[in-house]
């Protein structure tokens, strides 16, 4: 049997015939404050196309933060991104958000009081695997090639090629030594054109960094 040498169409929301639970996210994202790279998929038996509504929470235009997810990422069922709109003002006796209900409760509220909890954009690198029901908190950066364990709560940045797990998530081990990680970041295979990726699948699967460096 022959196979196409270019791989699947990254703009086909459902690249696996008969498996509608697997959805390439790039073609279904509509919000300008969310960016997802080619071939990144979300796996969910229940309407994976609604990822931006059901899995990206408290993401309001007026907050100004962005969710950026790289290419070739694998997101398991129930992964959630908590964005900066979830923050409450922290300077008062109470954190109760009176102002959102209006009817006079908005009077005197200073929007800048929310800045104390603002953490900036949430960024997921390329080739990241995030396990079932993991929660990513606002402003976190997850490095290229990292793995986030199921049910983890990620509250701080994750180094490239680290494996993190737990609540809060901590580095459990590195996938490669420092020299190999530096080489992989330099190679940046996720930036290759699709035909080059397809030609070098064996090298990508091998774990042999030098073989990957020699790919043509």
């Amino acid at each position: 049997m022959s196979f196409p040498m270019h791989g699947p169409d990254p703009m086909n929301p459902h690249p696996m015939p008969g498996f509608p639970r697997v959805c390439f996210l790039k073609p279904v994202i509509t919000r300008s404050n969310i960016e997802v790279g080619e071939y990144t998929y979300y796996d969910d038996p229940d309407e994976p196309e609604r990822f931006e509504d059901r899995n990206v929470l408290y993401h309001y235009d007026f907050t100004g933060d962005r969710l950026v997810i790289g290419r070739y990422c694998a997101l398991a069922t129930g992964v959630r991104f908590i964005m900066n709109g979830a923050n409450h003002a922290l300077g008062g006796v109470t954190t109760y958000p009176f102002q959102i209900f209006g009817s006079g409760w908005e009077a005197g509220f200073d929007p800048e009081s929310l800045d104390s909890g603002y953490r900036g954009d949430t960024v997921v690198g390329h080739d990241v695997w995030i396990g079932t029901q993991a929660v990513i908190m606002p402003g976190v950066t997850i490095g290229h090639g990292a793995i986030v364990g199921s049910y983890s709560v990620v509250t701080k940045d994750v180094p490239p090629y680290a494996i993190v797990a737990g609540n809060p998530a901590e580095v459990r081990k590195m996938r490669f030594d420092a020299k190999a990680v530096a080489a992989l970041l330099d190679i940046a295979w996720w930036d290759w054109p699709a035909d080059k990726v397809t030609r070098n699948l064996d090298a990508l699967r091998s774990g042999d960094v030098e073989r990957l460096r020699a790919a043509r």
Side-chain angles (χ1 to χ4, degrees):
M1 176 182 292
S2 61
F3 295 93
M5 291 306 294
H6 51 72
D9 178 359
M11 297 307 292
N12 176 6
H14 296 290
M16 297 174 60
F19 290 90
R21 62 179 291 156
V22 175
C23 179
F24 278 162
L25 289 178
K26 185 177 179 65
V28 301
I29 295 298
T30 64
R31 297 185 194 170
S32 61
N33 53 6
I34 301 177
E35 176 185 332
V36 180
E38 292 86 353
Y39 306 105
T40 285
Y41 72 87
Y42 176 55
D43 180 352
D44 193 326
D46 185 16
E47 297 184 290
E49 306 87 354
R50 296 184 60 197
F51 175 85
E52 64 182 0
D53 295 320
R54 299 172 63 176
N55 302 75
V56 185
L57 308 180
Y58 309 105
H59 200 195
Y60 308 120
D61 289 340
F62 61 80
T63 306
D65 55 342
R66 302 176 69 240
L67 171 62
V68 180
I69 304 175
R71 303 184 189 96
Y72 300 99
C73 293
L75 310 182
T77 304
V79 168
R80 285 166 291 166
F81 293 88
I82 309 298
M83 304 302 288
N84 285 282
N87 289 320
H88 292 207
L90 303 178
V93 171
T94 179
T95 59
Y96 191 82
F98 293 100
Q99 73 281 355
I100 70 173
F101 299 102
S103 301
W105 280 7
E106 74 281 11
F109 175 70
D110 180 5
E112 292 187 2
S113 65
L114 294 172
D115 290 348
S116 60
Y118 185 80
R119 298 291 182 266
D121 295 344
T122 299
V123 179
V124 178
H126 305 294
D127 188 27
V128 172
W129 175 21
I130 304 180
T132 299
Q133 301 293 335
V135 177
I136 315 301
M137 298 302 286
V140 165
T141 293
I142 300 177
H144 306 314
I147 298 173
V148 177
S150 296
Y151 296 92
S152 296
V153 179
V154 182
T155 62
K156 60 185 178 182
D157 292 353
V158 176
Y161 290 95
I163 299 175
V164 301
N167 181 8
E170 299 289 345
V171 176
R172 306 299 175 173
K173 64 180 294 186
M174 298 298 295
R175 295 181 57 198
F176 302 94
D177 63 29
K179 181 179 178 181
V181 168
L184 287 165
L185 295 177
D186 181 60
I187 293 166
W189 68 265
W190 41 80
D191 290 334
W192 294 352
D195 59 342
K196 183 174 179 179
V197 170
T198 304
R199 287 196 306 273
N200 291 284
L201 292 178
D202 287 345
L204 285 163
R205 293 168 177 148
S206 72
D208 185 338
V209 177
E210 291 309 311
R211 181 179 177 189
L212 196 62
R213 191 192 294 278
R216 293 292 182 265

